[in-house]
Amino acid sequence: MLGVNRIILVGTVGRDPETRYIGPGASFSRFSVCTTEIVGGAGGSQVEETEWHEVVSWRGLSSYVSQYVKKGDTVEVDGKLKSRYVSRGEGGRRVYEVIASNVRVLARSKANASTPTPAIEKEEAEPAIGSGLPGFDIENIPVNLKGDGDSLPF
């Protein structure tokens, strides 16, 4: 059974995007987004919990991010959560990143008030369903994997 891997963040950009080029017309940008929520603490008090998220954007979206997203801006990020293993020296660790499919600047910080924001903020189309699965053919999904005509395959 296919699942859903989608994440939507609304938060503050923690650092200016770092853009790298890996070939002609191929680039990616990394930046961090901070989200804060207020939760109930001991004795009825309220406590702020802050979470930092690493965001990666590719190709045309990377170009938009590098040009218009700045530290301190409030952004909406739509994407998927991806993990990878990073080995350094003797040890290693698993890191989690948000692979952005859309980034939209919602509000500018006072320091970035003069930075323009284009009217069209989504520069690359979202990938087709199943396009991230190698060998997955969305046109030929089996209707019934087992059993008679009324049973579900799960």
Side-chain angles (χ1 to χ4, degrees):
M1 183 169 119
L2 293 176
V4 176
N5 180 359
R6 184 169 183 192
I7 185 167
I8 300 171
L9 300 172
V10 175
T12 305
V13 177
R15 68 175 190 274
D16 285 335
E18 299 171 10
T19 302
R20 298 213 175 130
Y21 297 89
I22 55 176
S27 65
F28 67 95
S29 296
R30 293 181 175 279
F31 61 102
S32 61
V33 173
C34 168
T35 56
T36 303
E37 62 181 325
I38 297 175
V39 297
S45 65
Q46 293 186 339
V47 179
E48 280 189 1
E49 285 187 357
T50 301
E51 203 58 52
W52 286 94
H53 312 275
E54 285 295 314
V55 180
V56 180
S57 61
W58 288 89
R59 298 176 195 79
L61 187 58
S62 171
S63 176
Y64 167 80
V65 164
S66 66
Q67 189 172 5
Y68 296 107
V69 174
K70 305 292 180 207
K71 178 181 178 178
D73 292 344
T74 301
V75 295
E76 175 187 6
V77 177
D78 190 3
K80 64 182 179 180
L81 192 61
K82 187 94 171 164
S83 68
R84 62 186 174 93
Y85 187 77
V86 177
S87 61
R88 294 200 174 130
E90 292 181 19
R93 63 184 178 106
R94 183 159 300 280
V95 295
Y96 294 89
E97 299 167 322
V98 176
I99 307 301
S101 58
N102 187 23
V103 175
R104 185 166 59 134
V105 177
L106 299 176
R108 294 279 181 205
S109 68
K110 290 180 183 177
N112 301 327
S114 63
T115 305
T117 303
I120 299 173
E121 295 170 344
K122 186 172 182 178
E123 296 231 345
E124 73 181 18
E126 291 187 33
I129 297 172
S131 65
L133 302 173
F136 184 80
D137 182 8
I138 194 148
E139 299 298 324
N140 295 312
I141 297 174
V143 177
N144 190 1
L145 299 177
K146 277 187 180 176
D148 61 0
D150 292 334
S151 66
L152 294 174
F154 50 86

